Amino acid sequence: MKKYISFALMTIALSFGFASCDVETNEEPGGTNVQNMAGRWVVSVSQVDENGNVKYQPEDLFGIMDIDLFTFNTAANSSTEMWIDDDGKFWAFKFKMLVDYVAGTFSVTNVPYDAANQEIADAIAAGQTPKDKDGNDLVAETATISDGKIMYGAGHNIHGMPTDSISFYITFTDDSYGARFGYAKHLVTGTRYSGFYE
């Protein structure tokens, strides 16, 4: 009997010993440098004139309503850059853009919008002219984002609860529809994804 009691006490003592050695449980995980601007958004796309006046509602021309858009940090966890990605639902774009984290604003000018061309974008950003193996200039279709803004608590989800909203204008160098249908740029607006569906 004495042997069983000694064994039980030793087991209890060892279990406390192992539990007290776990130092990682006391650490806070921390976030990224753009954590308040990053996330999943549900957006719609309108077409507007130069002054931002709506020419076509989301359902009128392309039917781009309630699609997912993602914003997320770079691998370097920069506080001045983040990725934006339409997950192939609008113009199949994915690229890095400049952000002002404190103001909640973002923009980019003439950046190759296909993530496969990120090497070209990085070279242009570094002031270089990228070349192919034969010495010819490498080119790619580009996008420009202007007036990008994340407004904290300014939107409402489907249940009327406050949530963050996002808004920006975007143009693409390979957008031939603008001249044909008489719009100057696309207006992307939406709210942070809440997980609720109608």
Side-chain angles (χ1 to χ4, degrees), residues 7 42 87-88 99 160 165 167:
F7 183 76
V42 179
D87 200 29
V99 301
S165 66
S167 173

Side-chain angles (χ1 to χ4, degrees), residues 60 68 73 75 94 96 103 128 130 159-160 167 179:
D60 292 341
D68 288 335
N73 63 293
K94 180 180 179 182
K96 288 187 239 178
Q128 303 165 357
H159 299 291
S167 173

Side-chain angles (χ1 to χ4, degrees), residues 81-123:
E81 275 186 324
M82 74 177 176
W83 285 93
I84 187 165
D85 182 358
D86 74 346
D87 200 29
K89 302 286 193 301
F90 169 36
W91 215 269
F93 64 78
K94 180 180 179 182
F95 53 85
K96 288 187 239 178
M97 58 186 178
L98 300 174
V99 301
D100 181 334
Y101 186 68
V102 174
T105 59
F106 55 92
S107 64
V108 69
T109 303
N110 290 328
V111 64
Y113 66 78
D114 183 349
N117 293 321
Q118 191 58 44
E119 187 176 321
I120 297 172
D122 291 340

Side-chain angles (χ1 to χ4, degrees), residues 32-43:
T32 68
N33 286 331
V34 292
Q35 66 185 9
N36 291 341
M37 296 180 78
R40 178 177 174 184
W41 307 87
V42 179
V43 299

